[in-house]
Amino acid sequence: MKNDNQTMDRQIPVSEQRKRKIRKAAIGVAVAIAVLGIGAWLGSQMIPTLDRKALIISEVDRGTIDVSVSATGRIVPAFEEIIVSPISSKILEVYAHSGDSVDVGTPLLRLDLQSAETDYSKALDEREIRRQQTAQLKANVETQLSDRRMQIEVKEMELSQLEAQLRNELYLDSLGSGTRDRVRQAETTLRTAQLQLQQLRQQYQNEQRVRQADLRMQQLQNGIFEKGLDEKRRTLDDAKIRSPRRATLTYINSEVGSTIGAGQKIAVVSDLSHFKAECEISDSYSERVRVGGQVILRIGKERLPGIINTVTPLSQSGAITFTVVPDDMSHPRLRSGLKTEVFVITSIKDDVLRIRNGSFYSGPGDYTLFIIKDNLLQPRPVRLGDCNYDYIEVVSGLEPGEQVVVSDMTKYKGKEKLKVNGD
Protein backbone atom coordinates (compact mmCIF):
# COMPACT_ATOMS: atom_id res chain seq x y z
CA MET A 1 0.00 0.00 0.00
CA LYS A 2 2.74 2.35 0.77
CA ASN A 3 4.41 1.72 -2.55
CA ASP A 4 1.12 2.33 -4.42
CA ASN A 5 0.62 5.69 -2.68
CA GLN A 6 4.10 6.71 -3.44
CA THR A 7 3.56 5.90 -7.09
CA MET A 8 0.37 8.00 -7.24
CA ASP A 9 1.97 10.92 -5.47
CA ARG A 10 4.86 10.97 -7.90
CA GLN A 11 5.03 14.33 -9.77
CA ILE A 12 4.15 14.33 -13.53
CA PRO A 13 6.88 15.70 -15.74
CA VAL A 14 6.51 19.26 -17.11
CA SER A 15 6.72 18.12 -20.72
CA GLU A 16 3.89 15.70 -20.17
CA GLN A 17 1.76 18.45 -18.59
CA ARG A 18 2.46 20.72 -21.54
CA LYS A 19 1.37 18.04 -23.98
CA ARG A 20 -1.86 17.53 -22.06
CA LYS A 21 -2.62 21.28 -22.09
CA ILE A 22 -1.97 21.47 -25.82
CA ARG A 23 -4.28 18.51 -26.42
CA LYS A 24 -7.06 20.11 -24.35
CA ALA A 25 -6.63 23.46 -26.13
CA ALA A 26 -6.73 21.79 -29.54
CA ILE A 27 -9.86 19.91 -28.59
CA GLY A 28 -11.47 23.19 -27.35
CA VAL A 29 -10.57 25.02 -30.54
CA ALA A 30 -11.92 22.19 -32.66
CA VAL A 31 -15.15 22.16 -30.68
CA ALA A 32 -15.46 25.95 -30.97
CA ILE A 33 -14.89 25.84 -34.72
CA ALA A 34 -17.45 23.08 -35.04
CA VAL A 35 -19.96 25.03 -32.99
CA LEU A 36 -19.36 28.17 -35.03
CA GLY A 37 -19.66 26.26 -38.27
CA ILE A 38 -22.87 24.63 -37.15
CA GLY A 39 -24.18 28.03 -36.00
CA ALA A 40 -23.28 29.64 -39.29
CA TRP A 41 -24.93 26.80 -41.20
CA LEU A 42 -28.06 27.01 -39.06
CA GLY A 43 -28.09 30.81 -39.48
CA SER A 44 -27.87 30.48 -43.23
CA GLN A 45 -30.69 27.99 -43.16
CA MET A 46 -32.89 30.47 -41.15
CA ILE A 47 -32.67 33.32 -43.78
CA PRO A 48 -36.12 33.45 -45.50
CA THR A 49 -36.02 32.29 -49.10
CA LEU A 50 -38.42 33.70 -51.69
CA ASP A 51 -39.37 32.40 -55.10
CA ARG A 52 -38.32 34.90 -57.78
CA LYS A 53 -41.41 34.06 -59.83
CA ALA A 54 -43.62 35.27 -56.97
CA LEU A 55 -41.96 38.69 -56.97
CA ILE A 56 -42.57 41.67 -59.24
CA ILE A 57 -39.13 43.00 -60.12
CA SER A 58 -38.36 46.28 -61.88
CA GLU A 59 -35.08 47.48 -63.34
CA VAL A 60 -34.20 51.11 -62.68
CA ASP A 61 -34.00 53.07 -65.95
CA ARG A 62 -34.34 56.58 -67.34
CA GLY A 63 -37.35 57.84 -69.23
CA THR A 64 -40.44 60.02 -69.29
CA ILE A 65 -43.22 60.07 -66.70
CA ASP A 66 -46.65 61.52 -67.36
CA VAL A 67 -47.31 62.58 -63.79
CA SER A 68 -50.84 61.69 -62.70
CA VAL A 69 -53.07 61.44 -59.64
CA SER A 70 -55.35 58.48 -59.02
CA ALA A 71 -59.13 58.52 -58.87
CA THR A 72 -61.94 55.99 -59.01
CA GLY A 73 -64.58 55.76 -61.69
CA ARG A 74 -67.63 53.90 -62.90
CA ILE A 75 -68.66 53.43 -66.51
CA VAL A 76 -72.14 54.75 -67.33
CA PRO A 77 -74.05 55.34 -70.58
CA ALA A 78 -72.94 58.51 -72.36
CA PHE A 79 -76.59 59.42 -72.70
CA GLU A 80 -79.30 58.55 -70.22
CA GLU A 81 -82.68 60.27 -70.00
CA ILE A 82 -85.10 59.87 -67.14
CA ILE A 83 -88.73 60.14 -68.23
CA VAL A 84 -91.06 61.53 -65.56
CA SER A 85 -94.82 61.78 -65.49
CA PRO A 86 -95.93 65.34 -66.34
CA ILE A 87 -99.23 64.88 -64.47
CA SER A 88 -100.71 62.99 -61.56
CA SER A 89 -102.41 59.98 -63.09
CA LYS A 90 -102.40 56.19 -63.18
CA ILE A 91 -100.92 53.66 -65.58
CA LEU A 92 -103.46 52.06 -67.89
CA GLU A 93 -101.24 50.08 -70.29
CA VAL A 94 -97.55 49.19 -70.69
CA TYR A 95 -96.21 48.67 -74.21
CA ALA A 96 -92.47 47.97 -73.61
CA HIS A 97 -90.23 46.22 -71.12
CA SER A 98 -86.75 46.77 -69.66
CA GLY A 99 -84.05 45.76 -72.13
CA ASP A 100 -86.14 46.55 -75.21
CA SER A 101 -84.55 48.60 -77.99
CA VAL A 102 -86.80 51.56 -78.76
CA ASP A 103 -86.83 54.17 -81.50
CA VAL A 104 -87.83 57.82 -81.48
CA GLY A 105 -91.55 58.06 -80.73
CA THR A 106 -91.98 54.42 -79.69
CA PRO A 107 -94.96 54.23 -77.26
CA LEU A 108 -93.82 53.08 -73.80
CA LEU A 109 -96.99 53.21 -71.72
CA ARG A 110 -100.39 54.89 -71.55
CA LEU A 111 -101.61 57.08 -68.72
CA ASP A 112 -105.16 58.01 -67.76
CA LEU A 113 -105.56 61.41 -69.48
CA GLN A 114 -109.31 62.00 -69.04
CA SER A 115 -108.91 64.72 -66.42
CA ALA A 116 -106.09 66.45 -68.33
CA GLU A 117 -108.04 66.35 -71.61
CA THR A 118 -111.11 67.84 -69.89
CA ASP A 119 -109.00 70.69 -68.49
CA TYR A 120 -107.54 71.33 -71.92
CA SER A 121 -110.98 71.37 -73.54
CA LYS A 122 -112.19 73.94 -70.98
CA ALA A 123 -109.11 76.04 -71.71
CA LEU A 124 -109.92 76.00 -75.45
CA ASP A 125 -113.43 77.30 -74.70
CA GLU A 126 -112.00 80.02 -72.48
CA ARG A 127 -109.60 81.05 -75.25
CA GLU A 128 -112.54 81.51 -77.63
CA ILE A 129 -114.36 83.65 -75.04
CA ARG A 130 -111.24 85.79 -74.62
CA ARG A 131 -110.96 86.26 -78.37
CA GLN A 132 -114.58 87.46 -78.53
CA GLN A 133 -113.99 89.83 -75.61
CA THR A 134 -110.94 91.26 -77.34
CA ALA A 135 -112.85 91.76 -80.59
CA GLN A 136 -115.68 93.48 -78.67
CA LEU A 137 -113.17 95.71 -76.87
CA LYS A 138 -111.61 96.74 -80.18
CA ALA A 139 -115.05 97.54 -81.61
CA ASN A 140 -115.98 99.64 -78.56
CA VAL A 141 -112.70 101.51 -78.70
CA GLU A 142 -113.12 102.24 -82.38
CA THR A 143 -116.71 103.44 -81.85
CA GLN A 144 -115.78 105.76 -78.98
CA LEU A 145 -112.82 107.21 -80.80
CA SER A 146 -114.91 107.62 -83.94
CA ASP A 147 -117.49 109.62 -81.94
CA ARG A 148 -114.74 111.86 -80.62
CA ARG A 149 -113.40 112.44 -84.12
CA MET A 150 -116.89 113.34 -85.32
CA GLN A 151 -117.31 115.89 -82.48
CA ILE A 152 -113.98 117.42 -83.43
CA GLU A 153 -114.97 117.70 -87.08
CA VAL A 154 -118.29 119.36 -86.11
CA LYS A 155 -116.49 121.79 -83.82
CA GLU A 156 -114.00 122.58 -86.60
CA MET A 157 -116.88 123.41 -88.97
CA GLU A 158 -118.49 125.58 -86.27
CA LEU A 159 -115.18 127.33 -85.73
CA SER A 160 -114.88 128.07 -89.44
CA GLN A 161 -118.35 129.63 -89.41
CA LEU A 162 -117.50 131.79 -86.37
CA GLU A 163 -114.32 132.98 -88.06
CA ALA A 164 -116.37 134.06 -91.08
CA GLN A 165 -118.83 135.93 -88.81
CA LEU A 166 -115.94 137.74 -87.13
CA ARG A 167 -114.59 138.81 -90.51
CA ASN A 168 -118.03 140.16 -91.50
CA GLU A 169 -118.38 142.13 -88.27
CA LEU A 170 -114.94 143.61 -88.73
CA TYR A 171 -115.79 144.56 -92.30
CA LEU A 172 -119.09 146.16 -91.28
CA ASP A 173 -117.34 147.99 -88.47
CA SER A 174 -114.83 149.36 -90.96
CA LEU A 175 -117.71 150.68 -93.07
CA GLY A 176 -119.40 152.19 -90.04
CA SER A 177 -122.36 149.87 -90.27
CA GLY A 178 -121.36 147.72 -87.36
CA THR A 179 -120.47 148.27 -83.72
CA ARG A 180 -117.50 147.41 -81.53
CA ASP A 181 -119.77 145.45 -79.19
CA ARG A 182 -120.76 143.10 -81.96
CA VAL A 183 -117.12 142.68 -82.95
CA ARG A 184 -116.11 141.84 -79.36
CA GLN A 185 -119.05 139.42 -79.11
CA ALA A 186 -117.92 137.64 -82.27
CA GLU A 187 -114.31 137.50 -81.00
CA THR A 188 -115.44 136.02 -77.65
CA THR A 189 -117.62 133.42 -79.35
CA LEU A 190 -114.75 132.46 -81.66
CA ARG A 191 -112.28 132.23 -78.77
CA THR A 192 -114.71 130.03 -76.81
CA ALA A 193 -115.11 127.71 -79.81
CA GLN A 194 -111.32 127.49 -80.24
CA LEU A 195 -110.90 126.46 -76.60
CA GLN A 196 -113.68 123.90 -76.94
CA LEU A 197 -112.00 122.46 -80.06
CA GLN A 198 -108.67 122.30 -78.22
CA GLN A 199 -110.39 120.54 -75.33
CA LEU A 200 -112.02 118.01 -77.66
CA ARG A 201 -108.69 117.26 -79.32
CA GLN A 202 -107.02 116.78 -75.93
CA GLN A 203 -109.83 114.51 -74.77
CA TYR A 204 -109.49 112.49 -77.98
CA GLN A 205 -105.74 112.01 -77.42
CA ASN A 206 -106.24 111.06 -73.77
CA GLU A 207 -109.02 108.65 -74.56
CA GLN A 208 -107.00 107.16 -77.42
CA ARG A 209 -104.09 106.45 -75.01
CA VAL A 210 -106.42 104.95 -72.40
CA ARG A 211 -108.23 102.74 -74.89
CA GLN A 212 -104.95 101.58 -76.43
CA ALA A 213 -103.64 100.76 -72.95
CA ASP A 214 -106.79 98.76 -72.20
CA LEU A 215 -106.38 96.93 -75.48
CA ARG A 216 -102.69 96.18 -74.81
CA MET A 217 -103.56 94.90 -71.31
CA GLN A 218 -106.20 92.61 -72.80
CA GLN A 219 -103.74 91.37 -75.42
CA LEU A 220 -101.10 90.78 -72.74
CA GLN A 221 -103.52 88.76 -70.64
CA ASN A 222 -104.47 86.79 -73.71
CA GLY A 223 -100.79 86.13 -74.44
CA ILE A 224 -100.26 84.81 -70.91
CA PHE A 225 -103.30 82.62 -71.28
CA GLU A 226 -102.04 81.33 -74.65
CA LYS A 227 -98.72 80.36 -73.06
CA GLY A 228 -100.58 78.50 -70.33
CA LEU A 229 -102.68 76.81 -72.99
CA ASP A 230 -99.55 75.79 -74.92
CA GLU A 231 -98.12 74.38 -71.70
CA LYS A 232 -101.29 72.36 -71.15
CA ARG A 233 -101.07 71.05 -74.69
CA ARG A 234 -97.39 70.08 -74.24
CA THR A 235 -98.20 68.43 -70.93
CA LEU A 236 -100.98 66.49 -72.59
CA ASP A 237 -98.63 65.44 -75.41
CA ASP A 238 -95.90 64.48 -72.92
CA ALA A 239 -98.41 62.41 -70.98
CA LYS A 240 -98.56 60.15 -74.03
CA ILE A 241 -95.32 58.52 -72.93
CA ARG A 242 -93.02 57.84 -75.88
CA SER A 243 -89.29 57.30 -76.28
CA PRO A 244 -87.50 60.63 -76.90
CA ARG A 245 -84.81 58.94 -79.03
CA ARG A 246 -83.35 55.69 -80.28
CA ALA A 247 -81.93 53.89 -77.26
CA THR A 248 -82.38 50.96 -74.87
CA LEU A 249 -85.13 50.97 -72.28
CA THR A 250 -83.30 50.28 -69.02
CA TYR A 251 -86.23 50.90 -66.65
CA ILE A 252 -90.01 51.21 -66.86
CA ASN A 253 -92.76 51.24 -64.24
CA SER A 254 -94.81 48.26 -65.39
CA GLU A 255 -97.36 48.24 -62.54
CA VAL A 256 -100.62 48.68 -64.44
CA GLY A 257 -103.21 50.51 -62.35
CA SER A 258 -100.69 52.09 -60.00
CA THR A 259 -101.03 55.79 -59.21
CA ILE A 260 -98.13 58.08 -60.03
CA GLY A 261 -97.51 61.69 -59.11
CA ALA A 262 -96.39 64.58 -61.28
CA GLY A 263 -92.59 64.48 -61.62
CA GLN A 264 -92.30 60.81 -60.61
CA LYS A 265 -89.86 58.64 -62.62
CA ILE A 266 -91.64 56.16 -64.84
CA ALA A 267 -88.98 55.14 -67.41
CA VAL A 268 -85.30 55.48 -68.28
CA VAL A 269 -83.80 55.20 -71.76
CA SER A 270 -80.03 54.82 -72.22
CA ASP A 271 -77.59 54.75 -75.11
CA LEU A 272 -75.72 51.50 -74.46
CA SER A 273 -73.45 51.91 -77.47
CA HIS A 274 -71.55 54.92 -76.16
CA PHE A 275 -70.17 55.39 -72.65
CA LYS A 276 -68.50 57.83 -70.29
CA ALA A 277 -67.02 57.56 -66.80
CA GLU A 278 -68.34 59.17 -63.63
CA CYS A 279 -65.29 59.71 -61.42
CA GLU A 280 -64.46 60.74 -57.86
CA ILE A 281 -61.21 62.08 -56.44
CA SER A 282 -60.06 63.56 -53.12
CA ASP A 283 -60.76 67.28 -52.93
CA SER A 284 -57.07 67.83 -52.08
CA TYR A 285 -56.46 67.35 -55.81
CA SER A 286 -59.23 69.74 -56.88
CA GLU A 287 -56.78 72.24 -58.40
CA ARG A 288 -55.41 69.53 -60.71
CA VAL A 289 -58.77 68.52 -62.14
CA ARG A 290 -59.78 70.80 -65.00
CA VAL A 291 -62.23 70.55 -67.90
CA GLY A 292 -60.28 69.44 -70.97
CA GLY A 293 -57.58 67.68 -68.92
CA GLN A 294 -56.18 64.38 -70.17
CA VAL A 295 -57.09 61.18 -68.38
CA ILE A 296 -56.26 57.48 -68.67
CA LEU A 297 -58.94 54.92 -67.81
CA ARG A 298 -57.50 51.53 -66.90
CA ILE A 299 -59.79 48.52 -67.26
CA GLY A 300 -57.81 45.36 -66.57
CA LYS A 301 -54.75 45.64 -68.81
CA GLU A 302 -56.52 47.99 -71.22
CA ARG A 303 -55.69 51.72 -71.09
CA LEU A 304 -58.20 54.09 -72.66
CA PRO A 305 -57.32 57.79 -73.08
CA GLY A 306 -60.02 60.36 -72.47
CA ILE A 307 -60.84 63.99 -71.71
CA ILE A 308 -62.42 65.54 -68.60
CA ASN A 309 -65.81 66.81 -69.72
CA THR A 310 -67.38 68.27 -66.58
CA VAL A 311 -66.25 68.99 -63.01
CA THR A 312 -68.52 69.45 -59.99
CA PRO A 313 -66.86 72.20 -57.94
CA LEU A 314 -68.61 71.40 -54.66
CA SER A 315 -66.91 68.91 -52.34
CA GLN A 316 -69.00 66.20 -50.71
CA SER A 317 -67.55 63.93 -48.01
CA GLY A 318 -64.04 65.11 -48.88
CA ALA A 319 -64.30 64.34 -52.60
CA ILE A 320 -65.22 66.06 -55.86
CA THR A 321 -66.79 64.39 -58.89
CA PHE A 322 -66.07 64.77 -62.59
CA THR A 323 -66.96 63.02 -65.83
CA VAL A 324 -64.58 61.66 -68.45
CA VAL A 325 -65.40 61.09 -72.12
CA PRO A 326 -63.17 58.35 -73.61
CA ASP A 327 -61.63 59.02 -77.01
CA ASP A 328 -63.34 55.83 -78.15
CA MET A 329 -66.75 55.96 -76.51
CA SER A 330 -67.79 52.65 -78.09
CA HIS A 331 -64.70 50.62 -77.09
CA PRO A 332 -65.66 46.94 -76.57
CA ARG A 333 -64.24 46.91 -73.01
CA LEU A 334 -66.69 49.61 -71.88
CA ARG A 335 -69.70 48.23 -70.03
CA SER A 336 -72.32 50.05 -67.97
CA GLY A 337 -71.64 49.75 -64.23
CA LEU A 338 -68.02 48.61 -64.69
CA LYS A 339 -65.56 50.08 -62.18
CA THR A 340 -62.32 51.54 -63.51
CA GLU A 341 -59.08 53.05 -62.27
CA VAL A 342 -58.66 56.66 -63.35
CA PHE A 343 -55.37 58.55 -63.76
CA VAL A 344 -55.60 62.31 -64.18
CA ILE A 345 -52.46 63.52 -65.98
CA THR A 346 -51.15 66.73 -64.40
CA SER A 347 -47.66 67.21 -65.94
CA ILE A 348 -44.84 65.51 -67.89
CA LYS A 349 -41.28 64.88 -66.60
CA ASP A 350 -38.53 63.93 -69.05
CA ASP A 351 -35.26 62.03 -68.43
CA VAL A 352 -35.91 60.94 -64.84
CA LEU A 353 -34.93 57.76 -62.99
CA ARG A 354 -37.95 55.51 -62.70
CA ILE A 355 -39.19 52.09 -61.61
CA ARG A 356 -42.38 50.24 -62.36
CA ASN A 357 -45.41 51.27 -60.33
CA GLY A 358 -46.35 48.80 -57.61
CA SER A 359 -48.93 48.23 -54.93
CA PHE A 360 -46.51 49.42 -52.23
CA TYR A 361 -46.59 53.02 -53.48
CA SER A 362 -48.88 55.43 -51.63
CA GLY A 363 -47.49 58.81 -52.68
CA PRO A 364 -44.21 60.77 -52.76
CA GLY A 365 -41.93 60.14 -49.77
CA ASP A 366 -39.36 57.79 -48.18
CA TYR A 367 -39.59 54.02 -48.64
CA THR A 368 -37.51 50.95 -47.87
CA LEU A 369 -37.16 48.79 -50.97
CA PHE A 370 -35.39 45.46 -51.48
CA ILE A 371 -32.56 45.44 -54.01
CA ILE A 372 -31.64 42.15 -55.75
CA LYS A 373 -27.94 41.30 -55.95
CA ASP A 374 -26.32 37.84 -56.17
CA ASN A 375 -29.65 36.13 -55.39
CA LEU A 376 -29.97 38.12 -52.19
CA LEU A 377 -32.50 40.79 -51.28
CA GLN A 378 -31.20 43.64 -49.17
CA PRO A 379 -33.29 46.59 -47.89
CA ARG A 380 -32.30 50.11 -48.86
CA PRO A 381 -33.82 53.50 -48.02
CA VAL A 382 -35.14 55.19 -51.16
CA ARG A 383 -36.89 58.51 -51.82
CA LEU A 384 -39.65 58.40 -54.45
CA GLY A 385 -41.44 61.24 -56.21
CA ASP A 386 -44.41 61.54 -58.55
CA CYS A 387 -45.92 58.67 -60.49
CA ASN A 388 -48.25 57.68 -63.26
CA TYR A 389 -50.12 54.47 -64.01
CA ASP A 390 -46.88 52.73 -65.17
CA TYR A 391 -43.89 54.32 -63.46
CA ILE A 392 -42.70 55.96 -60.22
CA GLU A 393 -40.07 58.70 -60.18
CA VAL A 394 -36.88 57.83 -58.21
CA VAL A 395 -35.52 60.92 -56.45
CA SER A 396 -32.59 59.24 -54.67
CA GLY A 397 -31.30 55.90 -53.39
CA LEU A 398 -31.17 53.90 -56.64
CA GLU A 399 -28.92 53.75 -59.70
CA PRO A 400 -29.74 52.84 -63.32
CA GLY A 401 -29.60 49.12 -63.96
CA GLU A 402 -30.33 48.04 -60.38
CA GLN A 403 -33.17 45.58 -59.84
CA VAL A 404 -35.83 46.43 -57.28
CA VAL A 405 -38.75 44.46 -55.88
CA VAL A 406 -41.94 46.44 -56.40
CA SER A 407 -44.22 43.81 -54.83
CA ASP A 408 -45.73 44.46 -51.42
CA MET A 409 -42.97 43.38 -48.96
CA THR A 410 -44.61 44.63 -45.78
CA LYS A 411 -44.37 41.26 -44.00
CA TYR A 412 -40.58 41.27 -44.44
CA LYS A 413 -40.14 44.66 -42.82
CA GLY A 414 -37.08 44.65 -40.53
CA LYS A 415 -35.35 41.75 -42.34
CA GLU A 416 -31.69 42.50 -43.08
CA LYS A 417 -31.35 39.90 -45.81
CA LEU A 418 -33.52 37.60 -47.88
CA LYS A 419 -32.67 34.84 -50.34
CA VAL A 420 -34.14 34.45 -53.82
CA ASN A 421 -34.55 31.12 -55.60
CA GLY A 422 -35.09 30.67 -59.32
CA ASP A 423 -33.76 32.42 -62.41
Side-chain angles (χ1 to χ4, degrees), residues 394-413:
V394 178
V395 179
S396 63
L398 296 175
E399 297 295 333
E402 289 187 308
Q403 292 189 323
V404 184
V405 176
V406 293
S407 309
D408 186 358
M409 301 287 284
T410 304
K411 64 181 179 179
Y412 300 108
K413 184 178 180 180

Side-chain angles (χ1 to χ4, degrees), residues 273-304:
S273 62
H274 297 81
F275 298 90
K276 64 182 179 180
E278 292 182 345
C279 309
E280 184 175 89
I281 193 170
S282 170
D283 57 11
S284 60
Y285 296 119
S286 60
E287 295 182 356
R288 304 191 189 187
V289 180
R290 292 287 182 270
V291 172
Q294 295 183 341
V295 171
I296 297 295
L297 303 177
R298 185 161 69 183
I299 303 175
K301 294 183 179 180
E302 199 79 37
R303 293 180 177 85
L304 306 179

Side-chain angles (χ1 to χ4, degrees), residues 32-44:
I33 291 173
V35 170
L36 290 175
I38 293 171
W41 180 80
L42 290 174
S44 66

Side-chain angles (χ1 to χ4, degrees), residues 217-396:
M217 178 64 71
Q218 182 70 28
Q219 291 171 340
L220 180 61
Q221 292 175 348
N222 289 349
I224 295 173
F225 180 81
E226 288 289 342
K227 291 179 180 178
L229 185 62
D230 290 342
E231 182 65 26
K232 286 180 180 292
R233 183 172 60 252
R234 283 194 298 270
T235 299
L236 193 59
D237 291 340
D238 291 343
K240 300 171 183 178
I241 308 300
R242 301 176 182 272
S243 174
R245 62 180 65 210
R246 187 173 187 176
T248 300
L249 185 65
T250 54
Y251 167 79
I252 189 168
N253 186 338
S254 58
E255 297 181 12
V256 175
S258 62
T259 302
I260 55 175
Q264 182 176 338
K265 181 175 74 172
I266 53 177
V268 179
V269 292
S270 306
D271 180 1
L272 297 183
S273 62
H274 297 81
F275 298 90
K276 64 182 179 180
E278 292 182 345
C279 309
E280 184 175 89
I281 193 170
S282 170
D283 57 11
S284 60
Y285 296 119
S286 60
E287 295 182 356
R288 304 191 189 187
V289 180
R290 292 287 182 270
V291 172
Q294 295 183 341
V295 171
I296 297 295
L297 303 177
R298 185 161 69 183
I299 303 175
K301 294 183 179 180
E302 199 79 37
R303 293 180 177 85
L304 306 179
I307 298 295
I308 296 176
N309 184 43
T310 61
V311 178
T312 303
L314 297 178
S315 173
Q316 293 184 348
S317 301
I320 60 172
T321 58
F322 59 99
T323 59
V324 172
V325 177
D327 292 351
D328 184 0
M329 299 175 65
S330 57
H331 193 280
R333 289 301 304 272
L334 297 175
R335 292 288 184 274
S336 182
L338 188 66
K339 292 186 178 180
T340 176
E341 293 181 90
V342 182
F343 300 92
V344 180
I345 298 174
T346 59
S347 63
I348 298 177
K349 290 187 176 182
D350 295 319
D351 193 29
V352 296
L353 282 180
R354 62 186 188 177
I355 58 175
R356 299 287 299 181
N357 202 338
S359 58
F360 72 92
Y361 181 78
S362 60
D366 294 327
Y367 293 82
T368 299
L369 300 182
F370 284 88
I371 313 301
I372 298 181
K373 187 175 182 181
D374 299 331
N375 289 332
L376 289 177
L377 295 180
Q378 294 181 322
R380 184 188 299 177
V382 175
R383 179 175 289 273
L384 302 178
D386 292 317
C387 77
N388 65 6
Y389 45 92
D390 281 329
Y391 295 100
I392 304 171
E393 177 191 10
V394 178
V395 179
S396 63

